[in-house]
Amino acid sequence: MNIEEILEDMDETLDRAHPIPFASHKVLIDADRMRELINDIRLNIPAEIKRAKLIDFDCDRIISDAKAKAEQIVQDAELRAKEMCSQEAIQIAARQKGVDMLARAQVASNEIRAGAADYVSRLLENAEETLQASLIDVQNAKNRIGDIKRRNQR
């Protein structure tokens, strides 16, 4: 019998008790039965307390486990957030490095083009000078031949 059942028996015993005349709030009860029920309560209190302590311990353990799991979830989330931020920072740095490399490549390309254009221009100028000098030599040779022809015709 547990404490609840014993208390219910006590309540029923009080309900069945006979009222005392001229004192309606007082009743006659079986004292031996009431003592027996009180002793049963005393005997059952430790078992009930043990069960309550076990329940309390289980509640504390469940709460402690839940807190530990919650802390682990928060730690995992923070780690994941850091990893994501780190990955994003790496991607941003890589994009910036790519943009910088492209800009340097474009500058180098423009410098090479300008250098090549200058080189070709100098080659063409040299070729022009050489060709002009050759043209002058050709014209001089042509004029001498013309002079020789005119002298021979006279």
Side-chain angles (χ1 to χ4, degrees), residues 68-148:
K69 286 179 183 177
E71 287 177 16
Q72 185 61 45
I73 289 169
V74 168
Q75 289 175 354
D76 290 347
E78 287 174 349
L79 180 63
R80 180 74 178 130
K82 286 179 184 176
E83 287 174 358
M84 291 174 71
C85 288
S86 175
Q87 287 175 355
E88 186 176 336
I90 289 169
Q91 289 174 347
I92 289 170
R95 280 191 200 111
Q96 186 60 46
K97 189 171 184 177
V99 167
D100 292 345
M101 289 174 67
L102 182 60
R104 284 193 305 264
Q106 287 173 340
V107 166
S109 172
N110 290 339
E111 288 174 356
I112 290 170
R113 282 188 190 137
D118 288 345
Y119 177 72
V120 168
S121 179
R122 282 193 309 268
L123 284 178
L124 290 174
E125 285 175 9
N126 288 340
E128 183 181 25
E129 288 172 4
T130 302
L131 288 173
Q132 283 178 349
S134 294
L135 182 59
I136 290 171
D137 288 344
V138 167
Q139 286 175 346
N140 288 338
K142 199 172 147 186
N143 287 337
R144 279 191 303 237
I145 292 174
D147 287 345
I148 293 173

Side-chain angles (χ1 to χ4, degrees), residues 3-30:
I3 292 179
E4 287 290 324
E5 292 170 344
I6 297 170
L7 290 173
E8 194 173 308
D9 282 351
M10 288 175 79
D11 197 32
E12 287 176 14
T13 300
L14 287 172
D15 287 344
R16 281 186 262 129
H18 300 290
I20 296 179
F22 306 111
S24 62
H25 63 283
K26 295 184 180 183
V27 291
L28 291 176
I29 58 167
D30 181 357

